[in-house]
Amino acid sequence: TGWSDFIAVEISELDEMWKGLYKTMAFAPNQKVIVLSFSTKINAEVNDLYVSFLNKNNIWTKPRKLPVTVNTKSDETCPFIAADGKTLYFSSNRPGGLGKHDLYVTQRLDDKWMVWTEPENLGISFNSPDWDGYYSVDAQAKYAYMVTTNTPDGSPDIVRKPLIEG
């Protein structure tokens, strides 16, 4: 019948840590974990992925940087956690991609969020020669949504891709 009131998300020490130009985040389906993307360097455009956990006082823990399996010297941004709570999608301009930023997927292998599989590029069915990011999946897992700049004028656009042949 409507939307609930907004609830402030208080993440310990985030204001002191975040120095870059951008920050994005995604909640895990259980609403007790957040994966964030931001930089600790002043005015930087290159981000890393961090994890924060909800504690008993409803305050989020200080963000902890994900390991080098996930983070590189390149830009890691636009996290999305799948319904299983173990699959992480993100965008990166790491070497070996197909475009300016590509979509990648990795699987969490532990409960502390520090052990991950080697990220895999989602390939040409999702990535273009341009910027691709903000991947998400609808509740029925029928469609993926994402933002791409692979448009006639190069401006960002939201696209929907079917995940189930039908």
Side-chain angles (χ1 to χ4, degrees):
T1 60
W3 293 92
S4 65
D5 289 335
F6 288 104
I7 299 171
V9 176
E10 296 179 41
I11 301 173
S12 296
E13 300 184 43
L14 178 60
D15 290 340
E16 294 81 17
M17 294 175 71
W18 173 50
K19 304 290 184 207
L21 296 177
Y22 313 108
K23 92 181 134 181
T24 62
M25 67 176 166
F27 284 89
N30 68 7
Q31 301 292 302
K32 294 181 180 185
V33 180
I34 297 175
V35 174
L36 303 103
S37 170
F38 63 90
S39 179
T40 58
K41 296 179 180 150
I42 295 173
N43 295 326
E45 293 184 16
V46 175
N47 299 303
D48 286 314
L49 297 175
Y50 295 77
V51 65
S52 178
F53 303 96
L54 186 62
N55 69 25
K56 295 174 186 165
N57 300 325
N58 286 331
I59 303 290
W60 294 86
T61 62
K62 176 182 177 181
R64 187 171 170 199
K65 192 174 183 178
L66 293 183
V68 295
T69 313
V70 177
N71 284 311
T72 65
K73 292 180 181 179
S74 300
D75 186 32
E76 277 77 40
T77 189
C78 307
F80 171 75
I81 306 165
D84 65 4
K86 293 183 177 190
T87 305
L88 173 65
Y89 295 88
F90 63 95
S91 179
S92 180
N93 63 350
R94 61 184 58 205
L98 303 172
K100 294 177 182 171
H101 265 75
D102 281 8
L103 294 166
Y104 289 83
V105 62
T106 182
Q107 300 282 320
R108 178 172 56 86
L109 301 174
D110 73 335
D111 291 334
K112 294 182 180 180
W113 293 67
M114 288 295 129
V115 181
W116 296 84
T117 62
E118 191 67 35
E120 293 181 31
N121 188 299
L122 291 187
I124 59 171
S125 47
F126 287 93
N127 291 304
S128 74
D130 295 308
W131 190 96
D132 301 302
Y134 295 106
Y135 180 92
S136 65
V137 176
D138 73 338
Q140 292 80 32
K142 290 183 179 180
Y143 295 98
Y145 294 86
M146 57 182 277
V147 174
T148 185
T149 59
N150 190 27
T151 60
D153 65 358
S155 62
D157 202 359
I158 299 170
V159 296
R160 180 178 83 165
K161 297 187 176 267
L163 294 174
I164 299 172
E165 297 287 328

